[in-house]
Amino acid sequence: MPGFLLRRLGQALVTILGVVTLIFFVQRLTGDPTYLLVPETATQADIAALRHQLGFDRPLVVQYFDFLGELVRFDLGQSVVQRVPVTTIIASRLPYTLMLAAGALLVACGIGVPIGILLAIFRNSPAAKVAAGFVLAAQSMPTFWSGILMILVFSVLLGWLPPSSTGDIWHLVMPSFALGLLSMATFARITRSALLDELSKDYVRTARSRGVRSGRLLIRHLARNASIPVITVAALEISNLLAGAVIVETVFAWPGLGQVTVQAILARDFMIVQGVVLLGAFVTVLLNLMSDLLYSLVDPRIVLEGGR
Amino acid sequence: MSRVSKAAAAFLVATALGLAAGPALAAKDRFVIDLVNEPSSLDPQVQWNPDSYYVYRNIFDNLVTRDDKGEIIPQVATAWKQVSDTEIEFDLRSDIAFHDGSKLTADDVVYSVKRITDPKFASPQLGQFDKITDAVALSPTKVKLVTAGPYPALLAQLVKLSIVPKAVVEAVGKDAFNLKPVGSGPYKFESWQRGVNVQLTRNDAYWGTKAPFPTVTFRAVPDAATRLANLQAGSSDLVVTLDADQAAQLKSAPKAQALIGLTERVAYVRLNTTKPPFDNPKLRLAAAYALDKQAMIDGLLGGHDKPVPELLTPAIFGWVDGIKAPEHDLAKAKALIAEAGPAAKAEIDLATAPVFDQRIVQAIQQMLTEAGFNVKIAMSDMATYLKRAQAGPETTSLLSFGRWSCACQDADGVLFPLLHKSSGWSAYRNPKMDALLEEARATLDTNKRLAAYKQVHEIVATDVPVVPLYQAVVIYGAAKNLTFQPTPNESMFINRMSWKD
């Protein structure tokens, strides 16, 4: 177990360094943001002065090692547009993205898993067919469209929910649904196939022949075994949700990291993009590690070893 | 679940998540404005972007300002006098106090001018003020500005120079001032919740017209459809940057309206006159004949914009009535292209960026292709577009579509950068043009300036280095109860608005 952890942490570090290096150089190859920071009427001399002040006229390699040096000191630099530390920006936006991801995961699991169970157990009933149709429809709708549709129906037409921005818990409802519905289908599908897989196994037949009731069988045996693929998917889905948040946050003016990243990319605010990508890589690596560890908790038969 | 327990549950979850559930206020008390992005900075001298401008112009006073008609009128300065070709003296109001209570004096004005013109400070706005060589406080209420040579556009540029308090900026430093700006304007800075909103509160001690709303909230709502929905749902009172289709949707809205105003912004197609095929004046003329301005406006822009025959709009000093520009005439365009023979068949790149209305770009391509040119759209991101557009005629594209505003409403800020050979933006080489632009820039005599600009417009109409297209409109969405006059410079002064219940 400790060997496994060390090995995985080493891999994680290399992955993160690779991602950061890639994003650093790819961004800078596209040019520098100075032209976006000045009015159209600015002279070449003004542009050069600002570029010098921002440090973009230094050799790329020097900029890269400076960046790594700052990174070691947990300094992500300063936004070139807003002129405030990137850590301040991320710290102010991260809670909103986490709230949204939690809401979306709740929607995805809360609707997806029961539907998956329904689809597995009552395979051929009309209710399962309706549920399957619902899943298909939810999965087929692009988020920007379902988001705008929800705003039109629930805010403009019915006046039930606030259309955008933040304030109280009601502001979170529509963005969570818009984001969660896409993953909901994945959860339903995985739950269904995992359950079907388990249902066909011998121990289920044995238990049934012993007279164990369906409900008890589902909770005591099937749920635990079928949850392993669902946990794996949950970990992967969180990274997907963070990517999907970019669109949802823009549509609902939700002030999370997705929105700030889009704005930063458009403004070529390198420092913010780097910071967010670094965080994203870190979270993804961490989630994968955690899902591996969770396996062994859920199913003690799975042994984690370093020398794989 | 009953209503009460639902609310209680919501409150508990909200508290657990750390959300603040603020009390709902009546719209009059709290005025909500939806911008596209949040301001990049509220220090008026370190940034240049419209979303910042909307907010900070309500926090700061400027030396002079423009009224809703576009005339330059006093603000901090009560009067001004040109004492020589290069010196101008301003009398200042003595009854202005900053939000921290300290008095605004000549020292603050001098400090603000010197701060923004200091090359080491590297203000993005430096280019607009770098003709100012010195600022001197003659008395607590008198300031002298010195320019390098006669500079007729000085007042027009000073409209954008905000006065910051010297003592505060020096005490707290640049970064802290940006986080908590102190001005002397009709609104005080209250809070900035990054990514969520900027809150301002009314400055009840303001020396000028007081604003109608005690608090104002600026929010960032990037998606235009969401801004429109916010307005229709009543969660915002004023939204910026709608398009003509969205304005049309508001026609039947019970509680909202579209406010449309013509701006100083001019849309144009720039031709690179130094390279084939547009080194041939006849082909430039053919391009001008091929473009149907009115069709673009009626078919794509909802009919609100206005075609222009010159590279200015009537909102800019330097506009001359009665300029004759080539009218749309496809037959003439085709004839000129046929006359030029195979030279006209060369591939022409039309540079554009996603921020521009792509329907217009495609219409330009289609109209030129119909006349017989071989035009390809070259799309790049905005920074690349800007870099290439300013790289001079050797590397810039053969055609580019742009929308220009110097935010100064003076011809010098439009014509000089786009047509004079010393500017990176210019892809035109004509000594007569350069001489006229220099002459208009170096005299304080408005009649002489207008005469020079008239000749500039005539050269543009006949030699066609640029095809001026239309005067662009700005479209806001507003609550029906709001009275607000959109201005050509797209400013949004809250103390000029009023509210009727």
Side-chain angles (χ1 to χ4, degrees):
Chain A
M1 183 81 169
F4 169 81
L5 255 183
L6 273 179
R7 194 185 151 86
R8 284 298 299 268
L9 285 176
Q11 283 175 350
L13 211 66
V14 173
T15 310
I16 290 174
L17 189 70
V19 167
V20 165
T21 307
L22 195 69
I23 195 77
F24 181 91
F25 286 104
V26 167
Q27 276 199 108
R28 276 152 181 86
L29 283 180
T30 64
D32 75 53
T34 328
Y35 285 93
L36 296 172
L37 295 173
V38 293
E40 289 164 336
T41 43
T43 62
Q44 293 295 326
D46 298 352
I47 294 171
L50 187 62
R51 181 181 295 128
H52 178 71
Q53 201 201 36
L54 295 171
F56 290 130
D57 55 349
R58 296 174 303 155
L60 212 52
V61 180
V62 174
Q63 291 185 48
Y64 177 66
F65 282 105
D66 275 1
F67 166 64
L68 286 188
E70 283 166 5
L71 213 56
V72 173
R73 296 193 300 272
F74 296 104
D75 180 0
L76 294 175
Q78 212 187 29
S79 153
V80 297
V81 177
Q82 302 199 6
R83 312 278 178 103
V84 289
V86 172
T87 41
T88 309
I89 293 173
I90 291 183
S92 68
R93 302 296 193 107
L94 186 62
Y96 290 100
T97 293
L98 291 180
M99 253 186 260
L100 180 60
L105 206 59
L106 201 70
V107 169
C109 285
I111 303 177
V113 172
I115 287 183
I117 296 172
L118 184 78
L119 291 177
I121 295 180
F122 307 103
R123 240 165 304 172
N124 298 316
S125 73
K129 282 182 182 143
V130 172
F134 171 68
V135 169
L136 187 67
Q139 200 179 11
S140 319
M141 279 191 292
T143 315
F144 64 87
W145 184 78
S146 58
I148 288 289
L149 199 69
M150 273 193 249
I151 292 177
L152 284 179
V153 174
F154 296 107
S155 304
V156 178
L157 218 61
L158 299 170
W160 290 353
L161 290 167
S164 77
S165 196
T166 59
D168 54 36
I169 190 75
W170 302 114
H171 285 91
L172 192 57
V173 175
M174 286 198 291
S176 300
F177 268 88
L179 185 56
L181 283 183
L182 281 179
S183 302
M184 182 270 294
T186 315
F187 278 100
R189 232 181 25 241
I190 300 294
T191 309
R192 176 182 172 275
S193 62
L195 261 184
L196 283 178
D197 199 35
E198 291 300 317
L199 279 170
S200 69
K201 285 188 177 157
D202 287 344
Y203 76 90
V204 176
R205 221 172 300 138
T206 315
R208 278 206 172 127
S209 69
R210 285 210 324 264
V212 178
R213 291 222 317 274
S214 294
R216 191 182 152 82
L217 183 69
L218 186 68
I219 294 164
R220 288 295 296 269
H221 301 284
L222 287 172
R224 169 172 282 192
N225 291 334
S227 59
I228 289 171
V230 177
I231 290 171
T232 319
V233 170
L236 291 175
E237 279 303 306
I238 292 177
S239 339
N240 277 348
L241 286 177
L242 292 179
V246 171
I247 294 165
V248 170
E249 287 178 3
T250 303
V251 170
F252 290 97
W254 184 260
L257 279 178
Q259 201 196 80
V260 85
T261 310
V262 172
Q263 283 158 9
I265 290 170
L266 289 178
R268 288 218 173 139
D269 202 338
F270 296 155
M271 305 303 168
I272 294 184
V273 180
Q274 275 163 200
V276 175
V277 168
L278 186 68
L279 182 74
F282 184 73
V283 168
T284 309
V285 166
L286 194 73
L287 285 174
N288 279 323
L289 189 62
M290 270 167 55
S291 76
D292 283 351
L293 294 177
L294 265 180
Y295 290 157
S296 65
L297 282 181
V298 173
D299 187 346
R301 283 174 300 174
I302 297 174
V303 179
L304 302 172
E305 282 170 5
R308 243 190 311 166
Chain B
M1 221 194 282
S2 76
R3 249 194 124 69
V4 178
S5 61
K6 230 187 197 166
F11 178 76
L12 280 175
V13 180
T15 318
L17 287 173
L19 284 163
L25 293 168
K28 271 186 311 196
D29 298 333
R30 179 169 171 263
F31 189 68
V32 180
I33 301 175
D34 284 356
L35 307 175
V36 180
N37 293 308
E38 70 175 333
S40 62
S41 154
L42 290 180
D43 183 330
Q45 301 182 336
V46 299
Q47 56 67 49
W48 181 260
N49 91 356
D51 295 305
S52 308
Y53 186 83
Y54 287 136
V55 180
Y56 81 70
R57 288 297 297 271
N58 291 291
I59 303 175
F60 293 90
D61 282 326
N62 296 357
L63 212 49
V64 290
T65 189
R66 284 185 192 269
D67 63 13
D68 288 349
K69 288 199 255 1
E71 297 295 322
I72 295 176
I73 56 166
Q75 197 166 37
V76 169
T78 53
W80 46 90
K81 188 169 75 206
Q82 194 81 42
V83 286
S84 77
D85 268 6
T86 58
E87 290 172 312
I88 181 165
E89 280 179 17
F90 292 89
D91 293 325
L92 310 178
R93 294 188 74 96
S94 55
D95 58 347
I96 303 182
F98 286 110
H99 299 150
D100 67 343
S102 62
K103 255 188 165 333
L104 186 154
T105 67
D107 283 343
D108 298 302
V109 175
V110 168
Y111 178 76
S112 301
V113 173
K114 290 196 162 165
R115 187 174 185 242
I116 206 164
T117 52
D118 178 5
K120 279 207 275 316
F121 187 72
S123 167
Q125 286 165 274
L126 179 60
Q128 299 166 335
F129 299 108
D130 58 3
K131 301 284 182 307
I132 304 173
T133 53
D134 199 13
V136 188
L138 302 175
S139 81
T141 59
K142 217 173 180 62
V143 168
K144 181 173 78 178
L145 295 188
V146 185
T147 56
Y151 184 45
L154 178 67
L155 280 175
Q157 296 289 13
L158 287 178
V159 166
K160 296 174 287 180
L161 184 83
S162 295
I163 307 302
V164 297
K166 179 181 183 213
V168 176
V169 180
E170 282 183 343
V172 303
K174 187 173 155 185
D175 290 343
F177 185 71
N178 186 15
L179 295 176
K180 202 173 182 303
V182 175
S184 60
Y187 275 92
K188 294 185 221 181
F189 174 79
E190 177 69 36
S191 66
W192 184 352
Q193 204 182 344
R194 294 258 156 202
V196 182
N197 61 42
V198 178
Q199 304 251 25
L200 307 182
T201 52
R202 185 166 57 198
N203 173 13
D204 286 317
Y206 189 54
W207 59 271
T209 314
K210 287 183 188 58
F213 315 106
T215 63
V216 174
T217 302
F218 290 91
R219 306 189 298 193
V221 183
D223 193 275
T226 311
R227 288 199 294 280
L228 192 68
N230 279 347
L231 183 66
Q232 288 173 311
S235 87
S236 60
D237 305 300
L238 179 63
V239 305
V240 303
T241 324
L242 297 183
D243 64 28
D245 294 338
Q246 289 161 334
Q249 282 181 47
L250 285 177
K251 272 198 183 124
S252 57
K255 286 184 294 189
Q257 58 181 329
L259 300 172
I260 302 173
L262 286 162
T263 67
E264 62 174 303
R265 207 173 279 278
V266 60
Y268 61 88
V269 174
R270 190 193 61 173
L271 297 82
N272 188 343
T273 62
T274 65
K275 285 183 176 175
F278 292 128
D279 55 348
N280 179 350
K282 282 186 177 166
L283 288 177
R284 299 203 292 267
L285 196 58
Y289 282 130
L291 294 172
D292 188 348
K293 304 171 191 178
Q294 197 62 51
M296 289 180 207
I297 293 166
D298 294 340
L300 301 171
L301 298 172
H304 303 298
D305 306 68
K306 222 172 92 187
V308 286
E310 60 199 81
L311 194 55
L312 295 182
T313 79
I316 302 177
F317 171 83
W319 168 267
V320 177
D321 276 328
I323 296 295
K324 292 265 176 296
E327 303 268 331
H328 171 62
D329 191 330
L330 191 57
K332 275 190 192 163
K334 281 182 172 166
L336 285 168
I337 290 169
E339 201 182 305
K345 296 284 172 250
E347 188 173 304
I348 298 165
D349 54 333
L350 167 57
T352 181
V355 67
F356 298 113
D357 189 337
Q358 290 308 303
R359 299 172 305 173
I360 295 292
V361 175
Q362 285 155 15
I364 291 167
Q365 181 205 26
Q366 190 252 324
M367 285 169 180
L368 291 174
T369 307
E370 202 183 337
F373 287 110
N374 176 14
V375 180
K376 295 273 178 297
I377 293 176
M379 169 78 84
S380 62
D381 68 284
M382 192 60 184
T384 309
Y385 169 88
L386 288 172
K387 189 178 178 185
R388 206 165 159 220
Q390 296 174 58
E394 278 312 308
T395 37
T396 198
S397 57
L398 287 170
L399 278 181
S400 65
F401 169 72
R403 282 157 42 98
W404 192 276
S405 163
C406 64
C408 64
Q409 292 179 254
D410 189 285
D412 186 61
V414 184
L415 302 177
F416 199 92
L418 282 172
L419 297 169
H420 192 273
K421 72 163 193 276
S422 70
S423 157
W425 279 94
S426 168
Y428 186 46
R429 297 293 175 262
N430 179 344
K432 176 122 194 270
M433 175 64 89
D434 295 342
L436 285 167
L437 289 171
E438 283 158 23
E439 183 193 329
R441 167 174 269 204
T443 171
L444 300 173
D445 183 334
T446 49
N447 288 330
K448 269 193 193 152
R449 293 189 75 204
L450 278 174
Y453 287 136
K454 181 167 186 284
Q455 289 187 62
V456 169
H457 299 323
E458 281 162 356
I459 296 176
V460 169
T462 50
D463 204 35
V464 203
V466 174
V467 183
L469 295 176
Y470 53 85
Q471 179 180 18
V473 292
V474 58
I475 305 179
Y476 304 88
K480 276 249 164 75
N481 310 26
L482 184 75
T483 310
F484 163 51
Q485 170 68 51
T487 60
N489 60 5
E490 297 168 54
S491 58
M492 214 160 65
F493 293 106
I494 299 162
N495 65 340
R496 295 186 191 173
M497 300 176 187
S498 63
W499 183 270
K500 270 197 310 279
D501 266 327

